[in-house]
């Protein structure tokens, strides 16, 4: 076992099942996160660069060095239709690692979006392209091409572990990572949860209280809740 | 006097006068804050979840525990037409305490919006519902229902003291709290200030300088301002 | 040489060449920043108050005191057609130093926008006016007029040195400062860079890899990059 | 009722009972906070300026304006033996509102320390004087004396409501506010809790598990905890 | 494969080789991090609660829920001589999950320290005990025991992946995680690096320049460095 | 005039007068900052790595690239007795750009300390060496030597403009920059201020109020201050 995971590009990654990915794409991040048992969320600092951005795809992972986007170009070659690039950095760095030229390249290679624990630029062009990007920062600061990182190694991106091939789902609520091995299971659980919510919404809209619908009155009383006037 | 303010729901709160609330709703946060003598603002970390969100209503307060939204359901029962839920937490916590199901319930019970020193989710749905929410964070992270907080006790929300029944006004500029006892007085003062601003705006648009309009030249000179070429 | 730079208004500043400013206005912040050799950017905390805000003009600089916007009124008198007000503060302070009345005045005097390392308010009105503002915060908190700062001295705004008369360019990607003396040179370099990008974009859109277009394969191999399957 | 709470100095404040203050001074912040039912803590950003700083006294409150420490001098006159100055600001501001001269004055007037949601300076001298200060920042930045705040009105300091006369207790763990009316009750509860902890510490030191001492095994099993090998 | 990793305690974990742990304990975090190829560091927000705190041991991992330290008690039972507790939380939360009672219990069970991406309290007592703790915050805020997390599952703590049994090394420079499988290899590499540094230090102390010692002059010239007078 | 300031080393810099530097070294940062008219302070994020660290010397400036400390070695050659290295970075980056080896080299070349808007490591060794360092972060993260920055160009470090040869003074209160041209004037003003403070301290210690000593009662009354009982 090697200590060092830098300077590596893994080519033959196993992607999550396409049908599971397609099914997951129908649900929101909050629903899938709940369906999975509340795991796999990235930190809330990762935000869409334009309102309504949405993506779901299989992760091609990139480990960047600060101020250096060389590995983004290496990653482009590894992309297939339906992939999402997930970029982490060896340290906190908000430089603009990505802009409209790379977006053009990534899209031409099949990518459907980018999640990056760092900065991006050309926001106006990316918005015009409707290329969904979820990032920690927006920065015009350019980057060099001088130091190796890696492509398709496991990375920790904004507090979440992402293995190449995992499903990444992102919308206005944030970003959730679904391990490839449980993608179908998570999609099914999301579907069940979603169906269940429709009925609840109807009742609540009619004025039924969650207190009654979820049968909370007894446990609240047991916990010691007191009403005063 | 009890030391502990947890586990309490106060039912019979006194709400600010409805006419005063209606009048305050006509003005912006900056105007009302100025009219009140520059007090009552929440910290700037509380932001609308969609551009243009706006609310004005009487506060039903909630004290949450971290990662736990049980008290939101308890609060729903205490809502009346025109209320705004104001939720604080016993510690800093950005979890998604609130989403579209609770919004549906709150709206059905009469609430016109939410101000929360914490996180919310289902932003896309909340935006579609045009349910105004002002929060510190957006997070898909779910919460449990295990530990008691309180409803309708005085809370400190984002640095501002909110008593149940106070008026809460929020727009793109932030959130201001108007104590119920001075709601009418604040509304009148806001009206006077607003009327006064129209005349100033006209002059400034015509090129009159604030230096002259506000008669600042003499005090500036006294303070020692020097012009150099 | 005086130690103290407070309480000073410089009147006869030298503005960057108008043709260079007009040319710079055609390019984005990222392009100009690259063309200049990656210098002159403000920190990423400075953001537009509405999506799509854009400005390019010559700087009239203001040094504010915390919680005090007196110098904004002093600056108004120094404005000429095509100026941008660049406001720094002697300390970090997010108060609302600027709102729709000052915007009305600034516009009447010829200003095309504001960049401020501080807070602003009346965001709804400013958006309606389409008066571009780039700020660190939005805050309804009012300010006093009690303590002297300066106008048209060199200031450090969000990490960038701005001399009066320099060109300030801002868009969705951030804010860049172009010293007056190199405005034309920067504009020409930006034009060259922009022209060059069009060709690259075309190739990348056709699926050509940056690896090949930029001839990166050899340097990557030399640096030790290893492909594994 | 006046809307405005600025420009006021309240002289005849009621201080918490001296015996209760003395008793509270024997316990740590964590103990008292627990004994009171986990309320009254300031935010964790307030830290001692030197390791081991500790204070307990009755609050003389100050509301400052950003960059302005005029009210600190006004507060000095209101101090009595055993008081602690608690200073809040109308906005977030880290300027150095306080240094060794004010500390000398405060001490001469009887104060035993300072809690400030802002900055202080002369840290070396304050440490040499062993004058305990709990602040949000350390800053050499000076302040002016130009705008009124207030003394001895209720303030919100780092997220906690402080009324003049309340007990303020601070140590390495943070700052807790004990309302004057329950000072004795809180002191007694802290004493009981403290006594109780000694026994627990002994057991735990002997290797007894909290799982057994607190009888957690059954509730953990009920909650669904599973042991795997 | 289960989706959910909550509510689990793994008992039979494999710890890194004791000799390797002992050897690693002789080196600093910066040395080991370099020796491993610059991987495995936690984020810089994790700091020692007292100057000079230092620890090296095998990880028993804990996944906490916000405001809830129930799992800390469950973890105590899993400790063996030489372990370090590494606690992560399902969300960002600075509450005081740990204090002197738990430290007493952990020490009695063999633990040599704690690394926690959260808050701790009783800092004075922990310092007196010389129980090394590395945390993100200090907070007196108490926690409940109501919701399950897990013990000895892989966790992401302050941006680093920690598997139970991995070596955790922490000192004034931060915290590094050494996977159990490469502990010996990392210890050997650290030793080599450390030996190498002694010679360099001697040369540098004698006034030899790094420019010459590392033979940087030629690559700097190639990169285009220009000296001007 | 060149647009680009990267890749440059200026050798023949003019240092502030040695006597002025020696005199400035006798005063604290707060005193000198006040004496200069409250200008020249770095942001409060720059902190000493050990309590009591203190430095005063002439600046040799370094502009670093993120994750890259190559220029530190270039700077070492430019050092003379009494210099202080002031390092800025082209972007926010907390990596460990500096450790005990560079400290050994810098000291051997005459440097008396470091101020860096970035991270450092080997804190234990640097403390043992009593090599004063003021930094924004502590991080064990190593850096590469791949991309050019510059030495002895004007830099903006933590919000302050530093020209090579300026005096840099740092203590527990922060860091202040004194332009070389006014070093003597600033030293004299600091001396005057310091002498003046001794008298004030004596009076305040005797219980005289600042209200009386500074004759504040009349201006306070004019400003509208009201005393209530």
């Amino acid at each position: 076992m090697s200590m060092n995971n830098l300077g590596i590009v893994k080519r033959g990654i196993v992607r999550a099942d396409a049908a599971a990915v397609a099914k997951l794409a129908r649900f929101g991040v909050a629903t899938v996160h709940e369906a999975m048992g509340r795991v796999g969320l990235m930190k809330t600092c990762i935000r869409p660069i334009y309102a309504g951005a949405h993506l779901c795809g299989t992760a091609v992972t990139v480990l960047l060095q600060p101020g250096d986007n060389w590995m983004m170009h290496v990653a482009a070659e590894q992309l297939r239709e339906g992939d999402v690039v997930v970029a982490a950095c060896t340290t906190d760095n908000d430089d603009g690692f990505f802009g409209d030229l790379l977006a053009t390249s990534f899209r031409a290679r099949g990518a459907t979006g980018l999640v990056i624990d760092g900065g991006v630029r050309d926001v106006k062009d990316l918005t015009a392209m409707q290329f969904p990007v979820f990032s920690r920062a927006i920065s015009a600061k350019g980057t060099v091409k001088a130091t190796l990182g890696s492509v398709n190694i496991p990375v920790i991106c904004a507090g979440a572990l992402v293995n190449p091939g995992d499903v990444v789902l992102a919308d206005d609520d944030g970003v959730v990572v679904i391990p490839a091995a449980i993608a179908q299971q998570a999609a099914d659980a999301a579907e069940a949860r979603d169906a269940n919510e429709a009925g609840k919404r109807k009742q609540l809209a009619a004025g039924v209280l969650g207190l009654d619908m979820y049968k909370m009155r007894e446990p609240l009383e047991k916990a010691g809740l007191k009403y005063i006037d």
Side-chain angles (χ1 to χ4, degrees), chain A:
Chain A
M1 183 182 182
S2 167
M3 283 196 299
N4 198 324
N5 60 6
L6 294 177
I8 290 166
V9 184
K10 180 142 177 55
R11 275 184 295 220
I13 67 168
V14 180
R15 287 164 173 86
D17 176 69
V21 177
K23 188 167 182 178
L24 282 164
R26 290 165 32 204
F27 306 107
V29 167
T31 298
V32 171
H33 154 72
E34 286 287 345
M36 287 172 72
R38 296 184 179 165
V39 298
L41 273 186
M42 289 192 189
K43 290 201 182 282
T44 57
C45 55
I46 307 295
R47 299 296 305 151
I49 60 165
Y50 55 85
H54 173 274
L55 62 78
C56 184
T58 42
V60 162
T61 65
V62 184
L63 184 62
L64 300 162
Q65 298 286 359
D68 192 313
N69 76 344
W70 214 7
M71 288 302 114
M72 292 300 239
H73 292 279
V74 176
E77 192 175 28
Q78 306 305 317
L79 290 170
R80 282 207 210 148
E81 199 63 35
D83 280 343
V84 167
V85 177
V86 177
C89 184
T90 58
T91 192
D92 286 346
N93 180 234
D94 285 351
D95 285 356
F97 295 95
F98 178 89
D100 78 305
L101 286 185
L102 270 169
T104 301
S105 176
F106 282 11
R107 176 169 278 176
R109 307 293 296 187
T112 60
L114 169 74
V115 175
I116 181 167
D117 192 359
V120 301
R121 59 186 187 175
D122 300 331
V123 165
K124 191 182 162 189
D125 295 324
L126 295 171
T127 305
M129 291 171 69
Q130 288 286 294
F131 189 87
V133 174
F134 292 75
S135 73
R136 196 174 61 180
I138 291 168
S139 170
K141 171 76 165 46
T143 50
V144 299
K145 288 136 188 53
T147 307
L148 294 187
S150 287
V151 171
N152 280 334
I153 64 166
V155 297
I156 293 169
C157 182
L161 177 65
V162 188
N163 281 288
D166 284 350
V167 188
V168 176
L169 175 70
D171 62 21
D172 295 308
D173 287 350
V175 187
V176 68
V177 183
I178 306 104
I182 60 164
Q184 186 62 50
Q185 191 183 348
D188 295 345
E191 185 176 45
R193 185 177 171 87
D194 198 56
N196 185 29
E197 286 210 343
K200 288 184 191 167
R201 194 175 292 109
K202 213 170 175 176
Q203 285 191 64
L204 294 169
V208 176
L209 286 167
L211 288 178
D212 297 312
M213 195 172 78
Y214 299 113
K215 300 191 194 312
M216 289 173 173
R217 292 193 191 272
E218 196 185 311
L220 282 164
E221 196 185 344
K222 266 195 190 164
L225 191 67
K226 282 190 187 67
Y227 287 83
I228 59 176
D229 293 291

